Amino acid sequence: MKKFLAVVKREYLARVRTKMFIVSTILLPLVMSLFGIVPAVILNIDAGSLVRVAVVDQTGKIYPELQQALATEESDAQDPNDPVGNASRGLTRKGSGNFQLEEVNVTGRSNEEIQAELAQRLRARQLDSYLILPPDFLDRGEAEFFNQNPGDVMSRRILESALERAVRERRLIDAKVDSKTREELFQPIDLQSVKVGATGQERDSGGSFAVVFGIGFVMYLAILMYGQIILGAVIEEKETRIAEILFSSVKPFTLMMGKLVGVSFVALTQLAIWGLAFSAFALYGTGVLAARGLPSHVPSIPLAHYIYFGLFFLLGYFMYATIYALVGSMVTTAQEGGQLAMPIILILVVSFYLFFPVSRSPDSSFAFWVSMIPFSAPVAMLVRIVTQTPPFWQIALSLVIGFSSVLVIMWIASRVYRVGMLMYGKRASIPEAWRWARQA
Amino acid sequence: MAASETTVKLERVSKSFGEFTAVRELSLDVRAGRVFGLLGPNGAGKTTTIRMIVNITAPDSGSISLFGRKIDPKLQDRIGYLPEERGLYRRMRIIDQLRFFAELKNVRGKQIDSKIDEWLARVKLSEWKNKRSMELSKGMQQKIQFITSVIHDPDLLILDEPFSGLDPINTELLKEIVLDLKRAGKTIIFSTHQMEVAERICDDICLLNRAQKIFEGSLREIKRSFGRNSVSVRCEGGDGVLDDPALVSKLVRHADEAQALLASGADAQNLLKRLLDTGAVIGKFEMVEPSLNDIFITKVTESA
């Protein structure tokens, strides 16, 4: 036991003291927040100036409505009830304020004359685009939009929706619908998502999806990262030939377990730091938003979820890290280790992508089964817990199945490890490793 | 400990890996307070034998006892083992590594640090204490590895090719330490295929070849049993005589002299007479003990 603790201590200190640990501890939250912030910032960069649009209204009735519709789109943009909103919607709103409409006087001129003149102005860069609404536009709903930059999909989309609205408005006016009724008809609806949990209701504006995704991602990343660390550590001991000295003092099983447990403490230390950083950031962030008059809240995470996260992380970690230790003892160099570990990474990646179907329907039988299979349980069950907490017996069953499989894998791994660590020269084949495992 | 006490006893120990038999029916006694040479060519089963003594692998059959007891993991703490394949953690400081290895032998507390200082001073590496092992030369690392095997003051020290790759000065340094430990009453098992080294430091030897023991006993006795059937000769002329297979079974020419192993039935007097008869001018004619190397080669060829 003392020897086991000595191994645990060495592994822990040797890892925590590295620059790698310090850098990754600080960097990951930074990178994650960058991934959250940078795209929004970039998409919101207002590179262009006003979009100047000339409108040829051959129906003679749409222009005022179009102007008004565009203005309404603009005012919608400042909707304060939706602080989370996704990036593309944010962009739409941003763009709508940037139109400068100009009505082209059509009287007494032929279609060709007008078009020629507008095309001329477009080339001279006095205009960015022009819109031709034919006389039968109100009936057929077909118009043409000429521009120099077909890549500006956003402007076209905004214009399209404004036009649609304008046409509807015009048709209603023609049908003699009074202005009050029209206003009521266009009253936008607001679909608010309310999560019904065991303890009550909680208003939710999409933030919890981000949290679920974040948790799933951190889980996956931590398992992958710390599995690789175990792989590296085992290969180091084999490559540098320390294993034989160690085996003359400790049992291989003690050494392997000491390593796994020591590194798990490193992982938990790092996750705890991230957890605290996240909580602090969340508190600070809500504070800042509230100060700006933007009501927002970070979805509250119950304490039980932190505990479940810890448990399922340990499950996933011991599952994969033990396999990594097994692989490490079979190979002779880090390169070979990387190759032999590919299938493991593949399984891990697939089980991470199960996140999406599981989070969409956490109560389905598919979600149930993948959260019972030990390889995918850590991410799948955690997603289920956070989205739509399953009955406790399912969580317990998943943990029992998981940790039992971990024990079986550890037993196999320790037997392969015992022999493999002292086999130098060539990489062991899988049948060979299997024979080692069965040897007394 | 009395000199007659047995530190390690192997009785009819066998070990095989699949089809391959690494050690077959091996019995040996390692006496306390002596240097026991475990000799043999590569692949003879030396490392496997050692691994079984250290309790890294278990024998398929037979029994091994240490200090008069059946081996168990607790006894590991009384053994110091320097394997042939050895290394250090590259990024760990020397002091931390030595502390860690001592802890693995259940030595902890304050006395570790003074022990470490003592040993580092003895191998002349004190100023490297806080360096990482990757900053040390190979020879320096080897001395640190040696310390890892003695830091816990073991009663039985097992050294597998401890001097390979060391320069003569450091070889001499470690050899002195080994002999000091022997004087302090420690038992040392010394495994090598370098016969000259073994000859200079072993009291007892055991020759292994192809998984089996060829012979075992004290170095003195073995040499005596071989008799003085070797002659060191320096002479001018008389070449044909030395090449006569009836007289000389094996001839090794060095720079200015030759080592002649007498054929069975031939005697040295006869050889000298024949040389003088052919008019050779003799500079040196000396009966010498066979070298361990000669014994080894003879024995190995005999057993094949």
Side-chain angles (χ1 to χ4, degrees):
Chain A
M1 194 60 195
K2 279 182 185 165
K3 295 183 179 185
F4 170 74
L5 291 178
V7 177
V8 170
K9 191 179 96 185
R10 193 206 85 83
E11 288 299 328
Y12 184 78
L13 292 179
R15 316 263 159 241
V16 169
R17 280 182 189 158
T18 54
K19 283 192 198 99
M20 181 61 201
F21 177 79
I22 297 163
V23 169
S24 67
T25 305
I26 299 171
L27 224 56
L28 188 98
L30 265 177
V31 169
M32 297 247 319
S33 51
L34 280 183
F35 272 116
I37 294 164
V38 169
V41 170
I42 291 179
L43 286 174
N44 274 315
I45 290 174
D46 196 5
S49 47
L50 287 175
V51 181
R52 293 158 300 182
V53 187
V55 180
V56 183
D57 182 8
Q58 289 167 332
T59 64
K61 325 185 200 176
I62 290 279
Y63 186 76
E65 272 73 34
L66 178 61
Q67 218 170 9
Q68 204 190 345
L70 264 178
T72 325
E73 289 262 317
E74 187 176 352
S75 77
D76 272 357
Q78 263 87 49
D79 179 3
N81 289 325
D82 189 6
V84 216
N86 59 49
S88 76
R89 284 183 60 195
L91 186 66
T92 317
R93 290 189 217 107
K94 187 85 187 169
S96 62
N98 288 347
F99 286 95
Q100 191 183 48
L101 292 190
E102 166 197 341
E103 191 173 14
V104 180
N105 192 1
V106 286
T107 43
R109 284 197 291 176
S110 79
N111 227 341
E112 286 73 29
E113 263 175 37
I114 298 165
Q115 278 220 33
E117 185 211 321
L118 287 173
Q120 164 84 42
R121 284 178 62 193
L122 198 66
R123 273 191 291 275
R125 295 194 183 278
Q126 293 166 343
L127 272 182
D128 294 303
S129 49
Y130 59 93
L131 185 65
I132 295 183
L133 307 173
D136 59 352
F137 180 60
L138 275 172
D139 303 322
R140 302 183 39 159
E142 280 173 15
E144 280 178 308
F145 182 57
F146 299 84
N147 60 4
Q148 280 188 315
N149 178 16
D152 188 4
V153 188
M154 285 305 166
S155 303
R156 208 195 74 203
R157 198 179 295 162
I158 296 157
L159 215 55
E160 202 168 56
S161 92
L163 260 178
E164 217 165 79
R165 192 170 168 148
V167 168
R168 257 186 233 134
E169 187 97 20
R170 191 67 238 170
R171 284 177 185 153
L172 289 170
I173 292 169
D174 290 353
K176 309 270 188 291
V177 178
D178 63 75
S179 72
K180 188 162 172 289
T181 317
R182 288 204 314 268
E183 210 169 290
E184 278 168 16
L185 279 170
F186 281 107
Q187 192 60 47
I189 59 130
D190 184 10
L191 188 63
Q192 286 213 356
S193 156
V194 179
K195 182 183 165 179
V196 183
T199 50
Q201 299 184 342
E202 188 188 325
R203 206 150 291 267
D204 182 353
S205 45
S208 71
F209 175 84
V211 171
V212 174
F213 183 82
I215 288 172
F217 187 70
V218 167
M219 169 77 87
Y220 154 81
L221 204 70
I223 292 174
L224 186 69
M225 201 166 86
Y226 283 97
Q228 294 282 346
I229 285 179
I230 287 286
L231 180 69
V234 170
I235 292 174
E236 185 194 0
E237 279 177 2
K238 193 171 173 182
E239 250 187 334
T240 54
R241 308 283 195 257
I242 303 171
E244 195 161 348
I245 301 183
L246 296 174
F247 283 6
S248 73
S249 308
V250 293
K251 287 197 209 105
F253 182 72
T254 312
L255 181 66
M256 189 184 88
M257 288 309 293
K259 197 170 283 302
L260 289 171
V261 171
V263 173
S264 78
F265 285 155
V266 180
L268 290 177
T269 306
Q270 190 162 49
L271 289 172
I273 293 173
W274 287 344
L276 287 174
F278 171 77
S279 311
F281 183 77
L283 283 176
Y284 174 78
T286 16
V288 166
L289 287 178
R292 284 199 192 164
L294 290 173
S296 100
H297 67 279
V298 172
S300 59
I301 302 169
L303 182 67
H305 288 188
Y306 284 102
I307 294 166
Y308 283 137
F309 181 88
L311 280 173
F312 280 98
F313 168 72
L314 287 178
L315 171 60
Y317 164 80
F318 279 110
M319 188 93 208
Y320 286 97
T322 310
I323 301 176
Y324 271 117
L326 187 154
V327 166
S329 69
M330 285 170 66
V331 300
T332 55
T333 61
Q335 237 170 347
E336 279 179 9
Q339 286 165 12
L340 205 58
M342 272 317 284
I344 309 174
I345 296 177
L346 216 64
I347 295 173
L348 197 49
V349 170
V350 168
S351 69
F352 171 67
Y353 278 104
L354 289 175
F355 166 87
F356 296 99
V358 171
S359 68
R360 209 174 305 131
S361 47
D363 233 4
S364 61
S365 60
F366 173 79
F368 172 80
W369 287 112
V370 296
S371 64
M372 289 300 148
I373 297 168
F375 288 104
S376 50
V379 173
M381 187 48 103
L382 198 71
V383 167
R384 293 185 62 200
I385 290 172
V386 179
T387 48
Q388 199 172 355
T389 312
F392 178 74
W393 68 267
Q394 289 192 8
I395 302 175
L397 183 63
S398 166
L399 284 170
V400 167
I401 295 175
F403 279 106
S404 316
S405 333
V406 166
L407 288 181
V408 171
I409 289 173
M410 274 178 180
W411 184 80
I412 297 171
S414 73
R415 296 173 80 84
V416 173
Y417 181 81
R418 196 184 52 176
V419 182
M421 287 303 276
L422 300 177
M423 291 284 172
Y424 311 122
K426 80 174 202 28
R427 181 182 130 178
S429 65
I430 289 170
E432 231 171 330
W434 180 238
R435 213 179 50 233
W436 297 346
R438 289 189 331 190
Q439 266 169 13
Chain B
M1 267 188 224
S4 61
E5 254 178 74
T6 304
T7 303
V8 183
K9 191 175 186 65
L10 270 71
E11 280 173 299
R12 301 171 66 83
V13 168
S14 298
K15 177 77 188 179
S16 42
F17 301 101
E19 300 283 283
F20 175 74
T21 306
V23 174
R24 179 176 292 138
E25 298 276 323
L26 179 66
S27 299
L28 43 91
D29 286 294
V30 179
R31 287 187 282 169
R34 295 170 71 96
V35 179
F36 182 92
L38 194 59
L39 314 177
N42 297 324
K46 292 175 303 215
T47 301
T48 306
T49 305
I50 291 173
R51 282 183 184 170
M52 288 189 287
I53 296 174
V54 189
N55 205 6
I56 291 179
T57 43
D60 297 337
S61 62
S63 75
I64 301 173
S65 61
L66 255 71
F67 310 108
R69 287 156 59 189
K70 208 177 168 320
I71 47 164
D72 74 88
K74 281 207 183 86
L75 287 176
Q76 278 191 333
D77 293 349
R78 291 176 65 187
I79 310 175
Y81 175 36
L82 181 66
E84 183 179 9
E85 296 282 5
R86 57 206 165 210
L88 296 169
Y89 290 105
R90 279 187 288 253
R91 285 180 197 81
M92 212 172 164
R93 291 186 312 154
I94 297 304
I95 171 85
D96 293 334
Q97 312 221 19
L98 292 175
R99 272 194 201 128
F100 173 61
F101 284 113
E103 275 176 32
L104 288 186
K105 290 291 188 185
N106 275 325
V107 182
R108 55 200 79 225
K110 285 239 165 63
Q111 83 267 28
I112 293 185
D113 286 359
S114 59
K115 264 265 161 68
I116 290 173
D117 289 340
E118 220 173 275
W119 275 107
L120 284 175
R122 197 151 171 199
V123 300
K124 303 184 170 63
L125 288 176
S126 297
E127 66 272 35
W128 296 86
K129 188 174 159 183
N130 290 312
K131 292 275 191 299
R132 288 159 201 276
S133 68
M134 57 200 226
E135 298 169 63
L136 272 62
S137 76
K138 221 179 151 223
M140 291 174 183
Q141 291 192 25
Q142 209 164 333
K143 290 196 280 182
I144 300 293
Q145 288 154 2
F146 180 82
I147 298 178
T148 65
S149 65
V150 293
I151 190 78
H152 57 294
D153 200 18
D155 296 316
L156 171 64
L157 179 61
I158 302 176
L159 305 171
D160 197 346
E161 298 288 359
F163 307 135
S164 66
L166 276 186
D167 63 44
I169 295 171
N170 282 317
T171 304
E172 206 53 39
L173 180 74
L174 289 195
K175 212 177 82 189
E176 277 311 309
I177 295 174
V178 171
L179 292 175
D180 277 351
L181 289 168
K182 178 191 141 186
R183 278 191 281 276
K186 311 294 181 194
T187 308
I188 292 143
I189 295 179
F190 182 88
S191 165
T192 186
H193 60 259
Q194 292 177 282
M195 296 303 152
E196 317 78 68
V197 183
E199 198 159 11
R200 274 180 283 152
I201 115 178
C202 295
D203 301 310
D204 302 314
I205 57 165
C206 169
L207 269 192
L208 289 183
N209 190 40
R210 300 212 200 148
Q212 276 174 307
K213 181 167 80 177
I214 299 178
F215 68 79
E216 181 194 1
S218 90
L219 189 62
R220 287 262 57 79
E221 280 164 27
I222 287 159
K223 286 204 168 182
R224 204 171 301 139
S225 76
F226 248 71
R228 293 179 171 252
N229 62 345
S230 204
V231 182
S232 182
V233 188
R234 186 165 67 234
C235 64
E236 280 166 41
D239 288 356
V241 179
L242 289 174
D243 291 329
D244 182 355
L247 288 166
V248 176
S249 66
K250 194 181 140 231
L251 185 73
V252 183
R253 289 179 195 281
H254 299 297
D256 63 340
E257 54 178 74
Q259 196 88 19
L261 193 66
L262 293 174
S264 54
D267 84 47
Q269 297 300 320
N270 197 13
L271 177 65
L272 180 58
K273 188 164 175 289
R274 287 280 302 277
L275 280 169
L276 290 169
D277 287 348
T278 51
V281 182
I282 311 274
K284 177 186 178 187
F285 190 91
E286 191 191 355
M287 300 292 297
V288 290
E289 280 187 332
S291 70
L292 194 50
N293 205 35
D294 290 337
I295 297 175
F296 180 77
I297 290 167
T298 316
K299 285 291 183 182
V300 167
T301 13
E302 267 173 24
S303 74

